[in-house]
């Protein structure tokens, strides 16, 4: 400090008394004395006594006021104020202002910072700190806070420093309000923090040197957090792995980016108790950016917090590649063993007598759920697996133990097969006593379960198909017999309603049979080119009646939907079944949404359905806001007779039929459900692209003249082949009544003999498909050998595609699905013979 700088504080906060008041009081007293001299004695003496009494009272009152501190002499500045002494001698510059910039107090430190020699050249903080634009902005914010009576702290950098103390100075400025009796003042504090900043810069420089030394050390160093993110990687290791350090700081690398899967599993399997510090030495392979491996040895240190969560690791990496700088001196055999041990897909571990795991490889670590490390072999299996017994037998030295299949802990339903091999006891007695080999069999078990389930489904399908075939024959007889009865009874006949009931219920039974055949994918479909939008428009009124009043129906049609080829009746049945299920899932009301849209080939991969091949589809989605389907039921909902409804409220065939119809149409069905939120069924139907033949046929149909009324009479010789006597008799009766000559055969062999006896004079063969001795396709082959021009109509309860594969390609025939009416039979026969 220069010799001219003031070294005492400036305080204008006190208001001392004025000397004029003293002179005024003295003048009054002198004037009173002179005035008394002109008065008479009888008047002057009482006045003098009264004046003296007044002065005595004032004096006594002043003594008491001074004694109790009410009156102080020489003002407040003269008192011994400890707080003022502390502020006066503070190291930080302190200024108190009133109004805009009126300084009422400044301590000695502020005077030194300001370089002021007296009160006249003392500047407020706002004018003292001037410099670059950022300094002006800070001062503006401080001044605004002072006006608004708020606290604020800012740091500014000045070039040069205040009072010529250096080229650069750093200052921390605080502003805060001070409440006073006559208003609010502002307290400014200016602290010189230049030495503090210099120490920080020196420490930063030392840290930079330390980082530089660490980055270019002959060993790698990295840090991995509990989530598997690489939070630090030194330059040496980055060079070994060929990664750019610039990637860190905004996500950086993950553990699986620099480690093989086996190595990552081994590192993340390290667990410890709260407060533990674990150090593991691991021989693993890291992964370079180009995919090649780098054998290394890790000295991996992890500290665990009180919550048991692992903190960032401190990991030293030694290169074990022979001939490279920084390579570890371990033997090549040791490196190869570590690589084989941790890279093998078979899980390997060694255990002591109690089953505690002494050493294990990466595959073994993957057997346990994520975040869990098995301490003993018993931790791998659920209770009751027989592992304890197998381990005890192994400790006794038995080496021919059969493998043990166990269920691994966790909620994923994983399983494994264990092989236990004894090891000769060491001299210490607590060393390795057994080697455990394990292979995870989760995928194999799921595949086996799926194959078993597929076998069951196939068996049920065959059973359903067989039942449906026989039942169709029974229904055929009932329907045909009822038609004959109706033809011979008038509507006014009392028996006529009963016969109608028989026929109607027979058709209801036929619908149930179609459901069974739909499940087994053997029902007869009559596919036609459909516009899905038109189908939904026609169904909207029915759907509104189906879903009831509490459920809101929302139909959203996609634009320019592609055509699909499907059976109209079966497709309508699919939509209605899904709508009924959705309604039942919303007993308290909700929303049923039916959506359609085109799905281009390129969008298939992003839908999340692995089983959906890339192609062009029309999507039909039926979604509800109901109770949802539990996860454990999602894999079973398409199984026959599976239902979550109450007894008597569901057959369990609805979704099975949906699945069968969609699959037989060539489409795919998927379901997504969340309990409490709702369920969505997605049906993907292949886009139909018409062939040249279909286009020509459609054009010809449009140009063809209108058909006249059908003539159901006919003439010709028909060979009727049917193994069911009742069905054959009624069908023959129908054809004879229309004018045809009918030869009946109960089997394919008998039909072939009749055909030969008539020397080929058979105009049409009407044959069942499924028959003993010789089925329909085989009979057709034999007939074509005798007469290639033989016309055939196949009759079956199965789908046409179910037996077409047994015929030569291009073989022509007519097909009539069971059960059928007399009119359908006659029309089909006449069309085939024409």
């Amino acid at each position: 400090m220069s010799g001219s700088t003031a070294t005492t504080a400036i305080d204008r906060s006190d208001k001392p008394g004025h000397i004029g008041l003293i002179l005024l009081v003295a003048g009054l007293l002198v004037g009173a004395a002179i005035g008394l001299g002109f008065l008479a004695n009888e008047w002057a003496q009482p006045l003098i006594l009264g004046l003296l009494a007044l002065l005595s009272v004032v004096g006594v009152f002043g003594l008491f006021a001074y004694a109790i501190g009410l009156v102080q002499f020489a003002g407040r500045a003269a008192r011994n104020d400890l707080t003022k002494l502390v502020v006066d001698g503070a190291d930080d510059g302190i200024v108190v202002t009133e109004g805009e910039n009126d300084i009422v107090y400044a301590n000695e430190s502020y005077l030194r910072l300001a370089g002021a020699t007296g009160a006249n050249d003392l500047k407020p903080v706002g004018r003292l700190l001037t410099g670059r634009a950022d300094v002006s902005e800070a001062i503006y914010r401080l001044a605004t806070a002072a006006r608004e009576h708020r606290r604020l702290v800012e740091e500014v950098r000045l070039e040069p420093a205040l009072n010529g103390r250096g080229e650069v100075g750093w200052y921390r400025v605080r502003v805060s309000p001070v409440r006073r009796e006559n208003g609010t003042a502002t307290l400014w504090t200016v602290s010189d923090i230049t030495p503090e900043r210099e120490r920080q810069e020196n420490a930063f420089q030392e840290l930079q040197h330390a980082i530089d030394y660490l980055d270019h050390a002959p060993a790698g160093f990295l840090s991995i957090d509990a989530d598997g993110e690489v939070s630090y990687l030194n330059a040496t290791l980055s060079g070994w792995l060929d990664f750019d350090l610039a990637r860190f700081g905004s996500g950086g690398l993950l553990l699986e980016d620099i480690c093989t899967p086996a190595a990552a599993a081994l590192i993340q399997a390290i667990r410890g108790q709260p407060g533990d510090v674990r150090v593991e030495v691991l021989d693993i392979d890291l992964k370079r950016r180009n995919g090649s491996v780098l054998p290394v040895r890790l000295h991996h240190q992890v500290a665990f917090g009180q919550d048991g969560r692992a903190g960032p690791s401190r990991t030293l990496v030694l290169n074990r590649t022979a001939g490279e700088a920084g390579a570890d001196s371990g033997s090549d055999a040791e490196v190869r063993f570590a690589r084989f041990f941790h890279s093998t897909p078979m899980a390997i571990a060694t255990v002591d007598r109690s089953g505690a795991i002494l050493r294990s490889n990466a595959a073994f670590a993957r057997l346990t759920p994520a975040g869990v490390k098995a301490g003993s072999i018993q931790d791998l299996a659920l209770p009751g697996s027989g592992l304890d017994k197998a381990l005890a037998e192994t400790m006794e030295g038995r080496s021919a133990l059969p493998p043990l299949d166990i269920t691994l802990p966790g909620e994923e339903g994983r399983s494994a097969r264990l092989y236990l091999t004894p090891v000769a006891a060491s001299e210490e007695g607590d060393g390795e006593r057994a080697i455990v080999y394990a292979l995870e069999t989760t995928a194999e078990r799921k595949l086996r379960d799926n194959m078993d389930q597929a076998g069951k489904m196939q068996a049920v399908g065959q059973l359903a198909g067989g039942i449906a075939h026989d039942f169709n024959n029974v229904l055929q007889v009932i329907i045909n017999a009822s038609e004959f009865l109706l033809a011979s009874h008038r509507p006014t006949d009392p028996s006529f309603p009963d016969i109608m009931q028989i026929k109607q219920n027979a058709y209801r039974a036929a619908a149930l049979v179609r459901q069974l055949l739909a499940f087994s994918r053997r029902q007869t479909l009559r596919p036609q080119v459909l516009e899905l939008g038109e189908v939904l428009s026609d169904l909207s009124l029915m759907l509104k009646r189906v879903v009831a009043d509490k459920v809101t129906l929302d139909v959203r049609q996609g634009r320019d939907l592609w055509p699909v080829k499907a059976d109209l009746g079966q497709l309508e049945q699919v939509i209605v079944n899904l709508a009924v299920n959705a309604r039942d899932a919303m007993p308290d009301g909700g929303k049923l949404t039916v959506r359609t849209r085109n799905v281009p080939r390129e969008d298939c991969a992003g839908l999340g359905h692995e089983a959906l091949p890339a192609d062009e589809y029309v999507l039909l989605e039926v979604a509800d806001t109901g109770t949802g389907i539990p996860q454990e039921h999602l894999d079973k909902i398409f199984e026959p007779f599976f239902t979550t409804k109450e007894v008597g409220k569901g057959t369990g065939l609805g979704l099975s039929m949906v699945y069968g119809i969609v699959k037989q149409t060539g489409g795919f069905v998927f379901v997504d459900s969340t309990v409490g939120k709702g369920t969505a069924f997605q049906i993907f139907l292949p886009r139909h692209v018409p062939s040249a033949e279909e286009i020509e046929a459609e054009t010809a149909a449009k140009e063809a003249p209108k058909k006249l009324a059908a003539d159901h009479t006919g003439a010709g010789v028909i060979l009727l082949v049917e193994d069911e006597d009742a069905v054959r008799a009624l069908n023959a009766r129908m054809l004879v009544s229309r004018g045809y000559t009918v030869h009946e055969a109960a089997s394919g062999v008998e039909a072939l003999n009749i055909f030969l006896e008539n020397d080929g004079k058979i105009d049409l063969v009407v044959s069942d498909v499924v028959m003993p001795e010789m089925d329909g396709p085989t009979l057709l082959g034999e007939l074509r050998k005798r007469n290639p021009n033989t016309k055939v109509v196949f009759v079956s309860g199965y789908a046409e595609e179910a037996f077409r594969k047994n015929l030569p390609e291009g073989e022509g025939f007519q097909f009539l699905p069971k059960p059928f009416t007399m009119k359908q039979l006659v029309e089909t026969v006449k069309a085939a013979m024409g």
Side-chain angles (χ1 to χ4, degrees):
M1 182 180 65
S2 61
S4 62
T5 301
T7 57
T8 58
I10 295 175
D11 189 353
R12 298 172 177 170
S13 59
D14 286 334
K15 305 296 183 183
H18 199 277
I19 192 171
L21 295 175
I22 301 175
L23 295 177
L24 178 61
V25 173
L28 290 175
L29 293 175
V30 172
I34 295 173
L36 290 174
F38 291 99
L39 296 176
N41 290 333
E42 61 273 12
W43 291 99
Q45 186 174 1
L47 290 175
I48 292 173
L49 291 176
L51 182 60
L52 291 177
L54 177 62
L55 292 176
S56 299
V57 171
V58 172
V60 172
F61 175 79
L63 289 176
F64 276 101
Y66 178 76
I68 65 175
L70 185 62
V71 176
Q72 295 181 359
F73 296 105
R76 284 172 291 178
R79 67 184 177 182
N80 183 15
D81 192 341
L82 180 61
T83 302
K84 187 174 184 306
L85 292 176
V86 171
V87 176
D88 286 345
D91 294 332
D92 296 336
I94 298 175
V95 182
V96 179
T97 61
E98 288 183 344
E100 289 293 333
N101 289 308
D102 294 337
I103 297 177
V104 297
Y105 175 80
N107 71 347
E108 182 179 351
S109 297
Y110 184 78
L111 296 177
R112 288 198 298 268
L113 288 174
T117 57
N120 296 329
D121 58 352
L122 185 62
K123 299 177 181 178
V125 177
R127 290 201 293 267
L128 178 65
L129 303 177
T130 58
R132 297 177 304 179
D134 56 347
V135 176
S136 299
E137 291 178 1
I139 295 302
Y140 174 78
R141 291 191 294 269
L142 290 167
T144 302
R147 286 193 300 271
E148 297 175 356
H149 308 299
R150 293 186 290 107
R151 295 177 180 271
L152 186 64
V153 179
E154 295 279 355
E155 291 187 2
V156 297
R157 182 178 184 274
L158 298 180
E159 295 182 5
L162 293 177
N163 200 18
R165 294 188 175 188
E167 296 181 359
V168 178
W170 283 90
Y171 302 92
R172 183 180 294 117
V173 184
R174 294 184 179 88
V175 63
S176 57
V178 178
R179 308 296 178 184
R180 304 185 70 191
E181 295 178 358
N182 56 349
T184 302
T186 302
L187 173 65
W188 299 75
T189 305
V190 182
S191 305
D192 187 353
I193 59 173
T194 305
E196 178 183 340
R197 284 302 180 96
E198 290 177 349
R199 287 193 299 271
Q200 291 176 354
E201 291 182 0
N202 292 335
F204 180 75
Q205 290 294 334
E206 294 176 359
L207 180 61
Q208 285 292 100
H209 289 309
I211 293 174
D212 184 66
Y213 295 149
L214 182 61
D215 266 346
H216 299 91
F221 186 82
L222 78 156
S223 180
I224 307 165
D225 62 21
D227 297 325
E229 185 173 351
V230 180
S231 55
Y232 177 75
L233 186 75
N234 75 338
T236 300
L237 184 56
S238 176
W240 290 348
L241 301 178
D242 195 22
F243 279 104
D244 186 4
L245 284 176
R247 290 187 57 182
F248 298 104
S250 59
L253 295 172
L254 299 177
L255 184 60
E256 52 264 28
D257 295 329
I258 66 170
C259 287
T260 62
L266 203 62
I267 292 173
Q268 291 185 317
I270 298 175
R271 293 291 178 267
Q273 298 298 322
D276 282 356
V277 178
R278 294 286 302 276
V279 179
E280 298 281 348
V281 179
L282 306 174
D283 291 312
I284 63 171
D285 284 342
L286 296 183
K287 183 171 61 176
R288 293 187 174 96
R289 189 164 60 91
N290 60 5
S292 61
V293 296
L294 174 72
V296 297
R297 168 168 287 180
L298 302 185
H299 293 264
H300 188 67
Q301 177 179 300
V302 184
F304 296 88
Q306 294 302 320
D307 57 354
R309 182 176 172 82
S313 73
R314 308 292 189 267
T315 307
L316 179 67
V317 184
L318 302 178
N319 192 340
R320 307 199 73 180
T321 304
E324 287 198 10
D328 189 26
S329 59
S331 65
D332 292 342
E334 188 179 0
V335 174
R336 286 196 296 271
F337 171 76
R339 176 176 294 171
F340 295 152
F341 183 64
H342 292 302
S343 300
T344 177
M346 175 171 278
I348 306 174
T350 58
V351 299
D352 61 12
R353 175 177 291 276
S354 64
I357 298 173
L358 303 179
R359 189 176 185 185
S360 61
N361 67 347
F364 197 90
R366 289 196 293 268
L367 291 179
T368 56
V372 178
K373 182 179 181 181
S376 65
I377 190 64
Q378 290 89 342
D379 296 338
L380 281 184
L382 296 176
S385 62
L387 180 57
D388 292 334
K389 179 180 178 182
L391 184 63
E393 292 177 353
T394 304
M395 295 305 169
E396 294 174 0
R398 295 183 56 184
S399 58
L401 292 175
L404 180 65
D405 291 317
I406 64 171
T407 299
L408 298 174
E411 299 181 356
E412 299 135 354
R414 299 168 63 200
S415 60
R417 174 166 291 181
L418 302 185
Y419 300 84
L420 283 76
T421 303
V423 175
S426 61
E427 295 180 359
E428 295 85 0
D430 287 332
E432 299 173 348
R433 294 299 304 274
I435 301 177
V436 181
Y437 303 92
L439 280 175
E440 185 169 355
T441 58
T442 305
E444 290 79 0
R445 191 184 69 175
K446 287 183 178 179
L447 179 60
R448 184 175 66 250
D449 293 344
N450 290 339
M451 292 180 65
D452 293 343
Q453 183 65 21
K456 294 177 183 177
M457 294 284 284
Q458 183 178 5
V460 174
Q462 291 175 348
L463 175 62
I467 293 174
H469 175 266
D470 295 336
F471 202 53
N472 269 330
N473 287 331
V474 176
L475 293 174
Q476 184 69 63
V477 174
I478 297 174
I479 291 173
N480 291 350
S482 63
E483 284 189 333
F484 278 115
L485 289 173
L486 288 173
S488 61
H489 287 72
R490 296 180 180 181
T492 57
D493 193 308
S495 301
F496 192 88
D498 297 331
I499 300 172
M500 285 296 297
Q501 283 289 335
I502 293 173
K503 184 178 179 180
Q504 290 173 1
N505 281 279
Y507 280 123
R508 286 184 61 191
L512 179 60
V513 172
R514 282 197 297 272
Q515 288 189 4
L516 288 172
L517 288 173
F519 156 67
S520 61
R521 304 185 208 170
R522 296 182 180 182
Q523 86 276 31
T524 301
L525 296 182
R526 291 300 182 189
Q528 55 182 307
V529 179
L530 301 173
E531 297 291 341
L532 196 54
E534 296 179 1
V535 175
L536 275 179
S537 298
D538 295 340
L539 270 181
S540 296
L541 187 59
M542 180 189 295
L543 290 178
K544 288 180 181 178
R545 289 198 297 264
V546 165
V547 299
D549 297 335
K550 292 183 179 180
V551 177
T552 303
L553 177 63
D554 183 11
V555 179
R556 301 182 182 181
Q557 296 275 24
R559 291 186 177 181
D560 302 324
L561 292 178
W562 295 324
V564 297
K565 193 170 186 179
D567 186 298
L568 176 59
Q570 299 292 343
L571 184 58
E572 289 178 343
Q573 190 66 37
V574 166
I575 299 173
V576 171
N577 276 5
L578 292 178
V580 169
N581 283 349
R583 177 202 64 192
D584 294 342
M586 297 182 286
D588 299 326
K591 184 178 182 181
L592 173 63
T593 305
V594 182
R595 289 185 286 260
T596 58
R597 67 181 177 90
N598 294 330
V599 180
R601 182 187 302 270
E602 57 272 13
D603 293 350
C604 292
L607 295 175
H609 304 304
E610 297 180 358
L612 183 67
D615 205 344
E616 293 181 334
Y617 300 94
V618 178
L619 171 63
L620 169 64
E621 185 175 10
V622 181
D624 63 65
T625 58
T627 55
I629 303 173
Q631 192 68 30
E632 62 269 17
H633 292 164
L634 279 179
D635 296 335
K636 303 177 182 178
I637 59 174
F638 294 120
E639 295 180 8
F641 313 113
F642 176 82
T643 179
T644 57
K645 298 179 182 179
E646 299 176 8
V647 176
K649 292 188 177 181
T651 63
L653 286 176
L655 290 179
S656 300
M657 188 193 70
V658 169
Y659 186 83
I661 292 174
V662 172
K663 283 297 183 181
Q664 194 169 357
T665 308
F668 299 86
V669 57
F670 302 97
V671 59
D672 182 25
S673 183
T674 303
V675 175
K677 293 186 178 180
T679 303
F681 285 88
Q682 292 183 329
I683 297 175
F684 294 86
L685 299 176
R687 176 185 182 181
H688 174 68
V689 179
S691 62
E693 292 80 3
E694 290 175 328
I695 295 175
E696 292 177 2
E698 183 179 356
T699 304
K702 290 180 180 179
E703 296 175 353
K706 294 183 178 180
K707 293 183 179 181
L708 300 176
D711 180 12
H712 291 159
T713 61
V717 180
I718 297 176
L719 174 57
L720 181 61
V721 189
E722 173 62 60
D723 59 328
E724 289 285 339
D725 296 339
V727 177
R728 185 176 66 253
L730 286 171
N731 289 343
R733 183 178 172 186
M734 286 184 193
L735 295 173
V736 170
S737 67
R738 294 297 186 241
Y740 295 101
T741 301
V742 179
H743 297 285
E744 299 182 35
S747 67
V749 175
E750 184 180 349
L752 189 58
N753 292 333
I754 295 174
F755 187 84
L756 295 176
E757 290 174 0
N758 286 270
D759 195 20
K761 295 179 181 178
I762 300 294
D763 298 315
L764 179 66
V765 177
V766 179
S767 173
D768 193 7
V769 174
V770 180
M771 296 182 296
E773 298 185 60
M774 182 184 294
D775 60 7
T778 305
L779 173 62
L780 178 60
E782 295 296 328
L783 294 177
R784 288 289 163 84
K785 292 178 182 179
R786 276 76 177 174
N787 184 2
N789 298 322
T790 302
K791 298 178 181 179
V792 176
V793 174
F794 278 127
V795 178
S796 177
Y798 288 135
E800 179 180 337
E801 290 77 10
F803 61 87
R804 180 181 284 276
K805 60 186 178 182
N806 297 325
L807 295 172
E809 186 176 356
E811 188 68 67
F813 61 89
Q814 296 284 341
F815 179 72
L816 182 62
K818 289 182 180 180
F820 50 81
T821 63
M822 183 187 303
K823 179 181 177 181
Q824 291 172 334
L825 174 62
V826 173
E827 287 179 345
T828 303
V829 167
K830 191 160 188 177
M833 293 183 68

